[in-house]
Amino acid sequence: MAVLQKIRQRSLLLILVIGFSLLAFIVQDLYTKGGFGDTSKYIGSVNEKDISFEEFRLKVSNLEKSGQQGMTPIQAVNRVWDQEVSIALVTAEFEKLGIHTSEKHILEVFKNDPSIGQNQMFQTNGTFDLAKFKEYFKSNPEQAQFVKDKEKDAELNSKYQIYNTLIKGGLFTTNSEGKLKYEMESNKVNMDFIAVLYTSIKDADVKVTDEEITDYMKKNEKKYKAEESREVEYVMIEDKASPEDESEVKNTVNALLDKRIVYNQTTGVNDTLPGFREAANPVDFVNENSDVPYDSTFVAKKDLPAQFADQLFALPAGEVFGPYMNGNMYCISKVIGRKAGANAKASHILISYEGTQVPNKKEKRTKEQAKAKAEDLLKQALANPGMFFILAMSNSDDSSAQQGGDLGYFGPGQMVKPFNDFVFNSPVGKIGLVETDFGFHVINVTDKQDAIRLATIAQKIEPSETTTDKLYTKAVKFEMDANEKDFEKVAKDAGLTVNPAIKVKEMDEQFGAAGSQRQIVRWAFDSKTKVGEVKRFEVVNVGNVIAKLKKVHEKGLMPIEDAKPMIEPILMNKKKAEKIMAKMKGSSMQAIATACGGTVQQAVDLTVENANIPNAGFERKVVGTAFAIGANKISKPIEGMAGVYVVKPTVITKAPALKDYKEFTAKVKAQVQGYTGRVIPALKEEAEIEDNRGKFNF
């Protein structure tokens, strides 16, 4: 009673304390989840222009609802983000350039949109009718948002088309460029050269430090910049069947072969049930005892499990084979039917005509012309069956022409009826002519396969509840031990393998052998997760993944270990070049060769475009230098791709001038056409992009 009295006396104080604690909890939650500040409203920004989170979320939702096959939620987020960044960048360019659009432009975009331009509701005599389009939405104001969204997209689309046209207009190619291309391909040089390759110096004789690699990255910062990332190593404890589980399934399947005694709860006595061998109705027996229902399909030998195909196909009707392993199942099979010529293989030559269902015909022809041509080809094929392949390649209107008309194996009913009937009613080697809705077919029946029908009991090998419990216990124990002790040692003591660390970025979802595991990536980037921390994750259809955060890489320069394989060979070759160049002294080619331990070699008919130096490799810089210094002059040492060179041009042959260089200008122009695709990546590289996606629960 005394205690209760004290609580009553201090109830106001308790209420205040509890209220303050709840308020503090809510405030902290708001800050950590983006309840206050810009992160609650903006998913990011491009050049200080914010991207609304609500609009972004709506677009992601619409993309997910569009039902694009195989797209995961995080893929939808990433795709919309890329789109929003691109739109923000090009919109800014539109404003700078003063690009505007009109109703005429928007109308053209509408016409080319299948959901509008080809919609019969908005057409008059098969043509898009703007008046009908406007009238519909005037009469249906609830659909007005659809028009607004479409207008917004159409305006952006038309502006981008104008922008793209301007870029293409700026990417013109001059005759001078065509002339240069011609000279690079046609001017030739013969030269004496000395080549001392970098491989002549051992890598151990030159050392590149991490500081030198970092300095190189700083000088080439754009090339070696990297996003924030995490390195996570992990152990996987798969939820898979034990040897005992496998043995139990095998015994269960084996027991189905012969008669068995089963207690009948209804009658209270034991019943003797027939086994699979003597079952009167094998189909019902399969459906009652198999994890895979009965399949009545006739199966050719080539489609049977490869390891057991011979035994199964040779099995007499009514005989049983097994148990045998097929994938993750134990099986027993009984042959309950056999069919001769169940599958057939044929080649054909299709001759179509105007009005048939075959597109991309090689030539326009009437039905009469097609029939005459097909009959002529039939005569040729009958006279020389060995020529069928060539005849099909040269004449068939079907895509199978590339394979000499070969259609592969097919079953009854897979081809149109006249074609099907000819093939399955004719012997192998028969050549004939049939007509279908596709045109006239000259058909060659090339092979037939017998097939068997199997009744197969298949039971999955799955981990039992006991096995699953043991694996779960093992995973939990490993997580607890690894949080207190060395991760690798705990794994070794438990007989487990530590997988190599996986590097993930904030918006990744793939995680090594575990597949799509967004939860692990989110944990690795959580501000509360510290380096060295270990956490267990249950992964559906996989088991348990116990992950350890190994390293944190902040945004900036690429980590040394990632950059080293790319940069170390470059810096190593530079140091080797310095050593080689220091020895390349002398007033003649022979003297230089003697000084550096090389030999004077010859190369002929080199061009800048074909700068392949014998025994060295492709060295455009070296060949270009030979053209530049002139005949009979000795160059200074040239640092090339594969080594250091000294060259002495002996003959420089300039190609004769042409009346015009259109052919070569066209070559350059073809290369330039693809440059428009570089615009948005270039804009991204120069932009200030703030990405807050990781602060939201994606």
Side-chain angles (χ1 to χ4, degrees), residues 321-342:
F321 176 77
Y324 62 95
M325 279 283 291
N326 185 16
N328 67 334
M329 294 187 174
Y330 265 113
C331 306
I332 47 177
S333 297
K334 177 188 281 190
V335 174
I336 60 172
R338 188 176 294 274
K339 188 175 183 180

Side-chain angles (χ1 to χ4, degrees), residues 132-181:
K132 272 192 175 182
F133 179 74
K134 287 182 176 180
E135 182 59 34
Y136 173 82
F137 289 102
K138 188 178 179 181
S139 306
N140 298 274
E142 68 279 1
Q143 301 286 340
Q145 189 58 45
F146 172 82
V147 180
K148 286 182 181 179
D149 291 341
K150 284 289 183 182
E151 280 183 353
K152 191 175 179 181
D153 291 343
E155 182 180 1
L156 181 68
N157 197 337
S158 61
K159 283 182 179 180
Y160 185 74
Q161 288 177 12
I162 295 168
Y163 178 65
N164 209 33
T165 302
L166 289 172
I167 292 170
K168 286 181 178 177
L171 295 174
F172 60 87
T173 307
T174 65
N175 287 333
S176 295
E177 289 175 286
K179 182 182 177 184
L180 178 61
K181 177 74 172 173

Side-chain angles (χ1 to χ4, degrees), residues 222-278:
K222 285 185 179 179
K223 189 175 180 182
Y224 296 103
K225 65 182 179 181
E227 296 177 39
E228 186 178 359
S229 63
R230 301 286 187 269
E231 282 187 46
V232 183
E233 56 185 354
Y234 68 103
V235 162
M236 185 180 289
I237 299 177
E238 292 183 71
D239 195 9
K240 62 181 181 180
S242 66
E244 292 78 16
D245 296 333
E246 288 189 30
S247 179
E248 185 176 343
V249 175
K250 185 177 181 181
N251 291 336
T252 301
V253 171
N254 228 348
L256 295 170
L257 283 168
D258 300 306
K259 293 178 182 178
R260 59 199 191 283
I261 298 172
V262 178
Y263 177 73
N264 189 322
Q265 291 183 337
T266 305
T267 61
V269 297
N270 290 333
D271 290 341
T272 301
L273 301 180
F276 190 45
R277 294 186 202 276
E278 66 273 8

Side-chain angles (χ1 to χ4, degrees), residues 13-29:
L13 177 62
L14 282 169
I15 290 168
L16 289 171
V17 169
I18 292 168
F20 181 79
S21 299
L22 285 170
L23 179 63
F25 177 79
I26 292 167
V27 169
Q28 180 185 4
D29 194 52

Side-chain angles (χ1 to χ4, degrees), residues 189 191 607-608 611 613 619-631 633-640 645-649 652:
V189 61
M191 67 182 191
T607 69
V608 175
I613 299 175
E619 295 283 7
R620 184 172 282 176
K621 179 181 175 182
V622 177
V623 175
T625 302
F627 278 109
I629 63 173
K633 293 182 180 178
I634 299 175
S635 73
K636 292 179 180 180
I638 308 161
E639 191 177 328
Y645 303 79
V646 172
V647 300
K648 180 184 178 183
I652 296 175

Side-chain angles (χ1 to χ4, degrees), residues 111 117 122-130 132:
K111 285 180 180 178
F122 310 135
Q123 289 184 345
T124 299
N125 297 325
T127 305
F128 178 72
D129 188 329
L130 180 61
K132 272 192 175 182

